[in-house]
Amino acid sequence: MMGIESTGSKWLGLVAAVWIQAISGNNYTFSNYSDALKSLMSLTQIELNNLSVAKDVGKAFGLLAGLASDKFPTWAILLIGSLQGLIGYGVQWLVVSQRIQPLPYWQMCVFLCIGGNSTTWMNTAVLVTCIRNFRRNRGPVSGILKGFVGLSTAIFTDLCSALFADDPASFLLMLALIPFAVCLSGMFFLREIPPAATNDQEDFAVFNAVAVVVAVYLLAFGFVPNPSALVSRAFAVVLLLLLVAPMGIPVHSYLKARMQDERFKPNLEERVDEPLIRGKEKGSES
Protein backbone atom coordinates (compact mmCIF):
# COMPACT_ATOMS: atom_id res chain seq x y z
CA MET A 1 0.00 0.00 0.00
CA MET A 2 2.85 2.36 0.73
CA GLY A 3 4.14 1.83 -2.82
CA ILE A 4 0.74 2.76 -4.25
CA GLU A 5 0.55 5.92 -2.16
CA SER A 6 4.09 6.95 -3.07
CA THR A 7 3.34 6.50 -6.78
CA GLY A 8 0.30 8.77 -6.58
CA SER A 9 2.12 11.27 -4.37
CA LYS A 10 5.06 11.43 -6.78
CA TRP A 11 2.82 12.41 -9.70
CA LEU A 12 0.77 14.75 -7.53
CA GLY A 13 4.02 16.48 -6.63
CA LEU A 14 4.87 16.87 -10.31
CA VAL A 15 1.46 18.44 -10.96
CA ALA A 16 2.13 20.91 -8.13
CA ALA A 17 5.56 21.57 -9.64
CA VAL A 18 4.00 22.33 -13.02
CA TRP A 19 1.63 24.82 -11.41
CA ILE A 20 4.49 26.50 -9.56
CA GLN A 21 6.52 26.75 -12.74
CA ALA A 22 3.51 28.12 -14.62
CA ILE A 23 3.44 31.11 -12.26
CA SER A 24 7.16 31.49 -11.53
CA GLY A 25 7.99 33.51 -14.64
CA ASN A 26 6.87 36.75 -13.02
CA ASN A 27 10.43 38.02 -13.33
CA TYR A 28 10.00 38.26 -17.11
CA THR A 29 6.96 40.56 -17.03
CA PHE A 30 8.62 43.88 -16.17
CA SER A 31 7.58 45.49 -19.45
CA ASN A 32 3.90 45.02 -18.55
CA TYR A 33 4.07 47.57 -15.74
CA SER A 34 7.34 49.46 -16.29
CA ASP A 35 5.60 52.44 -17.92
CA ALA A 36 3.53 52.95 -14.77
CA LEU A 37 6.66 52.97 -12.61
CA LYS A 38 8.38 55.35 -14.99
CA SER A 39 5.47 57.80 -14.88
CA LEU A 40 4.82 57.71 -11.12
CA MET A 41 8.50 57.97 -10.15
CA SER A 42 9.40 60.44 -12.92
CA LEU A 43 12.23 58.21 -14.12
CA THR A 44 14.42 58.66 -17.15
CA GLN A 45 14.75 55.76 -19.55
CA ILE A 46 18.22 55.01 -18.19
CA GLU A 47 16.91 54.89 -14.62
CA LEU A 48 14.10 52.59 -15.73
CA ASN A 49 16.63 50.33 -17.42
CA ASN A 50 18.63 50.22 -14.20
CA LEU A 51 15.52 49.10 -12.33
CA SER A 52 15.25 46.23 -14.78
CA VAL A 53 18.91 45.43 -14.14
CA ALA A 54 18.24 45.35 -10.39
CA LYS A 55 15.46 42.86 -11.04
CA ASP A 56 17.82 40.65 -13.03
CA VAL A 57 20.57 40.97 -10.42
CA GLY A 58 18.21 39.20 -8.02
CA LYS A 59 18.48 36.08 -10.17
CA ALA A 60 22.27 36.17 -9.80
CA PHE A 61 21.84 35.16 -6.15
CA GLY A 62 20.31 31.84 -7.20
CA LEU A 63 23.36 30.09 -5.78
CA LEU A 64 21.92 30.69 -2.31
CA ALA A 65 18.81 28.71 -3.20
CA GLY A 66 20.94 25.91 -4.60
CA LEU A 67 23.01 25.65 -1.43
CA ALA A 68 19.89 25.79 0.74
CA SER A 69 18.24 22.97 -1.23
CA ASP A 70 20.82 20.53 0.18
CA LYS A 71 20.19 21.68 3.75
CA PHE A 72 16.46 22.41 4.00
CA PRO A 73 13.29 20.57 2.94
CA THR A 74 11.37 21.54 -0.18
CA TRP A 75 8.59 23.31 1.73
CA ALA A 76 11.10 25.67 3.36
CA ILE A 77 12.63 26.63 -0.01
CA LEU A 78 9.16 27.29 -1.45
CA LEU A 79 8.20 29.35 1.59
CA ILE A 80 11.28 31.57 1.27
CA GLY A 81 10.64 32.16 -2.44
CA SER A 82 6.95 32.90 -2.00
CA LEU A 83 7.59 35.37 0.82
CA GLN A 84 10.24 37.18 -1.23
CA GLY A 85 7.81 37.47 -4.14
CA LEU A 86 5.04 38.70 -1.87
CA ILE A 87 7.29 41.42 -0.45
CA GLY A 88 9.06 42.41 -3.67
CA TYR A 89 6.00 42.64 -5.91
CA GLY A 90 3.71 43.70 -3.07
CA VAL A 91 5.72 46.89 -2.51
CA GLN A 92 5.67 47.60 -6.25
CA TRP A 93 1.90 47.16 -6.23
CA LEU A 94 1.57 49.62 -3.33
CA VAL A 95 3.51 52.19 -5.33
CA VAL A 96 1.76 51.67 -8.68
CA SER A 97 -1.70 51.62 -7.07
CA GLN A 98 -0.69 54.86 -5.27
CA ARG A 99 -1.52 53.46 -1.85
CA ILE A 100 1.86 54.77 -0.71
CA GLN A 101 4.15 57.49 -2.00
CA PRO A 102 6.86 56.36 -4.43
CA LEU A 103 9.86 55.10 -2.50
CA PRO A 104 13.39 56.44 -3.00
CA TYR A 105 15.02 55.05 -6.10
CA TRP A 106 17.55 52.89 -4.27
CA GLN A 107 14.82 51.29 -2.18
CA MET A 108 12.84 50.39 -5.30
CA CYS A 109 16.00 48.75 -6.66
CA VAL A 110 16.21 46.63 -3.50
CA PHE A 111 12.59 45.49 -3.71
CA LEU A 112 12.90 44.65 -7.41
CA CYS A 113 16.00 42.64 -6.58
CA ILE A 114 14.07 40.75 -3.88
CA GLY A 115 11.22 40.04 -6.28
CA GLY A 116 13.65 38.83 -8.94
CA ASN A 117 15.40 36.52 -6.49
CA SER A 118 12.10 34.89 -5.47
CA THR A 119 11.87 32.93 -8.71
CA THR A 120 15.26 31.28 -8.16
CA TRP A 121 14.01 29.73 -4.92
CA MET A 122 10.81 28.45 -6.51
CA ASN A 123 12.58 27.07 -9.57
CA THR A 124 15.28 25.41 -7.48
CA ALA A 125 12.78 23.74 -5.15
CA VAL A 126 10.80 22.40 -8.09
CA LEU A 127 13.69 21.20 -10.25
CA VAL A 128 15.75 19.61 -7.48
CA THR A 129 12.81 17.76 -5.95
CA CYS A 130 11.35 16.50 -9.23
CA ILE A 131 14.72 15.35 -10.58
CA ARG A 132 15.28 13.39 -7.37
CA ASN A 133 11.81 11.86 -7.65
CA PHE A 134 12.25 10.92 -11.33
CA ARG A 135 15.91 9.94 -11.49
CA ARG A 136 15.42 7.81 -14.62
CA ASN A 137 13.55 10.58 -16.46
CA ARG A 138 15.54 13.68 -15.59
CA GLY A 139 15.51 14.97 -19.16
CA PRO A 140 11.72 14.80 -19.72
CA VAL A 141 11.06 16.28 -16.27
CA SER A 142 13.42 19.21 -16.84
CA GLY A 143 11.94 19.86 -20.29
CA ILE A 144 8.36 19.85 -19.04
CA LEU A 145 9.09 22.19 -16.13
CA LYS A 146 11.13 24.59 -18.25
CA GLY A 147 8.36 24.60 -20.84
CA PHE A 148 5.80 25.78 -18.31
CA VAL A 149 8.19 28.50 -17.09
CA GLY A 150 8.31 29.75 -20.66
CA LEU A 151 4.51 29.86 -20.76
CA SER A 152 4.16 31.63 -17.42
CA THR A 153 4.63 35.15 -18.78
CA ALA A 154 1.93 34.60 -21.39
CA ILE A 155 -0.34 33.07 -18.74
CA PHE A 156 0.01 36.11 -16.47
CA THR A 157 -0.29 38.60 -19.31
CA ASP A 158 -3.34 37.02 -20.95
CA LEU A 159 -5.13 36.45 -17.65
CA CYS A 160 -4.56 40.07 -16.64
CA SER A 161 -5.74 41.29 -20.05
CA ALA A 162 -8.81 39.08 -19.82
CA LEU A 163 -9.77 39.95 -16.26
CA PHE A 164 -8.38 43.42 -15.53
CA ALA A 165 -8.12 45.12 -18.94
CA ASP A 166 -4.34 45.63 -18.75
CA ASP A 167 -4.39 47.48 -15.43
CA PRO A 168 -0.74 47.60 -14.18
CA ALA A 169 -1.74 47.75 -10.50
CA SER A 170 -3.94 44.65 -10.83
CA PHE A 171 -1.18 42.91 -12.74
CA LEU A 172 1.31 43.54 -9.92
CA LEU A 173 -1.23 42.33 -7.38
CA MET A 174 -1.45 39.08 -9.35
CA LEU A 175 2.34 38.80 -9.38
CA ALA A 176 2.41 39.19 -5.60
CA LEU A 177 -0.53 37.00 -4.54
CA ILE A 178 -0.89 34.16 -7.07
CA PRO A 179 2.67 32.75 -6.74
CA PHE A 180 2.41 33.09 -2.96
CA ALA A 181 -0.87 31.15 -2.85
CA VAL A 182 0.27 28.47 -5.31
CA CYS A 183 3.55 27.91 -3.44
CA LEU A 184 1.74 27.61 -0.11
CA SER A 185 -0.51 24.95 -1.66
CA GLY A 186 2.43 23.21 -3.34
CA MET A 187 4.22 22.90 0.00
CA PHE A 188 1.77 20.15 0.99
CA PHE A 189 2.26 18.04 -2.17
CA LEU A 190 5.78 18.63 -3.50
CA ARG A 191 8.25 16.61 -1.48
CA GLU A 192 11.03 14.13 -2.10
CA ILE A 193 9.75 10.57 -2.58
CA PRO A 194 11.91 7.48 -3.16
CA PRO A 195 11.74 6.71 -6.90
CA ALA A 196 10.05 3.48 -7.98
CA ALA A 197 10.89 1.34 -10.99
CA THR A 198 7.87 2.20 -13.14
CA ASN A 199 7.27 3.01 -16.79
CA ASP A 200 6.46 6.73 -16.83
CA GLN A 201 6.74 7.50 -20.54
CA GLU A 202 2.99 7.62 -21.22
CA ASP A 203 2.37 10.00 -18.33
CA PHE A 204 5.18 12.31 -19.44
CA ALA A 205 3.64 12.35 -22.90
CA VAL A 206 0.41 13.65 -21.36
CA PHE A 207 2.27 16.46 -19.61
CA ASN A 208 3.96 17.40 -22.88
CA ALA A 209 0.62 17.36 -24.69
CA VAL A 210 -0.94 19.66 -22.09
CA ALA A 211 1.98 22.09 -22.43
CA VAL A 212 1.58 22.17 -26.23
CA VAL A 213 -2.20 22.67 -25.99
CA VAL A 214 -1.77 25.53 -23.49
CA ALA A 215 0.85 27.17 -25.72
CA VAL A 216 -1.38 26.97 -28.81
CA TYR A 217 -4.36 28.21 -26.82
CA LEU A 218 -2.45 31.24 -25.53
CA LEU A 219 -1.20 31.99 -29.03
CA ALA A 220 -4.70 31.75 -30.48
CA PHE A 221 -6.08 34.20 -27.90
CA GLY A 222 -3.46 36.73 -28.96
CA PHE A 223 -5.01 36.82 -32.44
CA VAL A 224 -8.52 37.62 -31.17
CA PRO A 225 -9.12 41.32 -32.00
CA ASN A 226 -10.61 43.31 -29.11
CA PRO A 227 -12.31 40.42 -27.28
CA SER A 228 -15.41 41.27 -25.29
CA ALA A 229 -15.53 40.87 -21.51
CA LEU A 230 -17.53 37.65 -21.86
CA VAL A 231 -15.03 36.14 -24.32
CA SER A 232 -12.12 37.16 -22.10
CA ARG A 233 -13.65 35.55 -19.03
CA ALA A 234 -14.46 32.39 -20.98
CA PHE A 235 -10.83 32.29 -22.13
CA ALA A 236 -9.63 32.58 -18.53
CA VAL A 237 -11.91 29.74 -17.38
CA VAL A 238 -10.76 27.39 -20.16
CA LEU A 239 -7.10 28.24 -19.46
CA LEU A 240 -7.51 27.36 -15.79
CA LEU A 241 -9.22 24.09 -16.73
CA LEU A 242 -6.30 23.22 -19.01
CA LEU A 243 -3.87 23.85 -16.15
CA VAL A 244 -5.97 21.63 -13.85
CA ALA A 245 -6.09 18.82 -16.44
CA PRO A 246 -2.78 17.17 -15.32
CA MET A 247 -4.51 16.26 -12.04
CA GLY A 248 -5.87 13.25 -13.91
CA ILE A 249 -2.37 11.74 -14.06
CA PRO A 250 -1.86 11.07 -10.32
CA VAL A 251 -5.41 9.73 -10.11
CA HIS A 252 -4.76 7.38 -13.04
CA SER A 253 -1.39 6.30 -11.61
CA TYR A 254 -2.93 5.57 -8.21
CA LEU A 255 -5.78 3.52 -9.68
CA LYS A 256 -3.41 1.60 -11.97
CA ALA A 257 -1.07 0.75 -9.09
CA ARG A 258 -4.06 -0.23 -6.96
CA MET A 259 -5.35 -2.63 -9.64
CA GLN A 260 -1.92 -4.20 -10.06
CA ASP A 261 -1.69 -4.65 -6.30
CA GLU A 262 -5.11 -6.34 -6.20
CA ARG A 263 -4.08 -8.76 -8.96
CA PHE A 264 -0.89 -9.60 -7.11
CA LYS A 265 -2.55 -10.28 -3.74
CA PRO A 266 -4.35 -13.58 -4.62
CA ASN A 267 -1.13 -15.15 -5.92
CA LEU A 268 0.71 -14.02 -2.83
CA GLU A 269 -1.94 -15.46 -0.51
CA GLU A 270 -1.83 -18.83 -2.30
CA ARG A 271 1.91 -19.01 -1.87
CA VAL A 272 1.65 -18.07 1.81
CA ASP A 273 -0.97 -20.78 2.48
CA GLU A 274 1.39 -23.49 1.24
CA PRO A 275 3.62 -24.92 4.01
CA LEU A 276 7.20 -23.80 3.84
CA ILE A 277 8.48 -27.26 4.90
CA ARG A 278 6.52 -30.34 4.06
CA GLY A 279 6.43 -32.95 6.81
CA LYS A 280 7.35 -36.58 6.19
CA GLU A 281 4.50 -38.95 5.38
CA LYS A 282 3.62 -41.42 8.11
CA GLY A 283 4.26 -44.41 5.85
CA SER A 284 7.84 -43.36 5.37
CA GLU A 285 8.61 -43.32 9.08
CA SER A 286 10.75 -46.22 10.22
Side-chain angles (χ1 to χ4, degrees):
M1 183 63 69
M2 288 298 294
I4 297 175
E5 293 178 356
S6 64
T7 299
S9 298
K10 178 180 68 171
W11 287 105
L12 187 59
L14 183 57
V15 173
V18 164
W19 290 346
I20 293 170
Q21 291 295 80
I23 50 84
S24 65
N26 46 13
N27 200 37
Y28 304 102
T29 60
F30 183 69
S31 60
N32 291 354
Y33 58 89
S34 59
D35 286 343
L37 284 176
K38 181 179 181 181
S39 175
L40 287 170
M41 298 181 64
S42 301
L43 302 176
T44 65
Q45 186 60 43
I46 294 179
E47 289 174 327
L48 184 66
N49 293 341
N50 288 335
L51 276 183
S52 180
V53 170
K55 166 185 65 68
D56 294 332
V57 165
K59 292 185 291 186
F61 293 99
L63 176 63
L64 298 177
L67 294 174
S69 66
D70 288 333
K71 303 293 184 181
F72 301 104
T74 302
W75 67 264
I77 307 300
L78 286 176
L79 181 62
I80 294 172
S82 61
L83 287 175
Q84 283 189 327
L86 182 65
I87 294 171
Y89 292 101
V91 170
Q92 295 177 67
W93 168 71
L94 290 174
V95 172
V96 172
S97 63
Q98 301 185 47
R99 283 171 169 76
I100 62 174
Q101 293 295 321
L103 299 176
Y105 183 73
W106 71 269
Q107 292 183 15
M108 288 299 297
C109 288
V110 170
F111 283 112
L112 263 78
C113 183
I114 292 174
N117 184 243
S118 67
T119 60
T120 65
W121 291 83
M122 292 185 282
N123 290 337
T124 299
V126 164
L127 283 171
V128 169
T129 304
C130 288
I131 287 176
R132 288 173 178 171
N133 288 346
F134 297 90
R135 296 180 189 274
R136 297 185 177 183
N137 297 279
R138 294 187 291 267
V141 166
S142 300
I144 290 169
L145 296 178
K146 286 296 184 181
F148 276 95
V149 169
L151 294 174
S152 60
T153 302
I155 290 172
F156 270 124
T157 302
D158 287 351
L159 280 179
C160 188
S161 300
L163 300 176
F164 306 115
D166 299 320
D167 177 29
S170 299
F171 186 80
L172 277 167
L173 187 61
M174 285 178 59
L175 295 183
L177 294 181
I178 292 181
F180 179 74
V182 172
C183 285
L184 287 185
S185 301
M187 286 165 52
F188 296 99
F189 305 107
L190 182 61
R191 62 184 186 275
E192 190 171 344
I193 298 171
T198 57
N199 183 13
D200 303 324
Q201 298 304 319
E202 294 181 359
D203 295 320
F204 284 121
V206 174
F207 273 103
N208 281 321
V210 171
V212 171
V213 171
V214 170
V216 173
Y217 183 68
L218 291 169
L219 181 62
F221 181 73
F223 288 103
V224 177
N226 300 320
S228 63
L230 180 61
V231 171
S232 297
R233 291 189 178 94
F235 158 81
V237 170
V238 174
L239 176 59
L240 293 176
L241 290 176
L242 288 175
L243 293 175
V244 172
M247 275 296 297
I249 295 177
V251 175
H252 173 262
S253 297
Y254 176 82
L255 293 177
K256 182 172 67 174
R258 185 69 178 266
M259 292 175 62
Q260 292 175 349
D261 185 66
E262 292 297 330
R263 286 197 299 266
F264 178 73
K265 275 184 178 180
N267 297 330
L268 180 61
E269 291 174 356
E270 290 176 3
R271 291 197 296 270
V272 170
D273 288 340
E274 295 180 359
L276 297 178
I277 302 176
R278 296 183 180 276
K280 296 181 179 180
E281 296 181 0
K282 292 182 178 181
S284 63
E285 294 179 357
S286 56

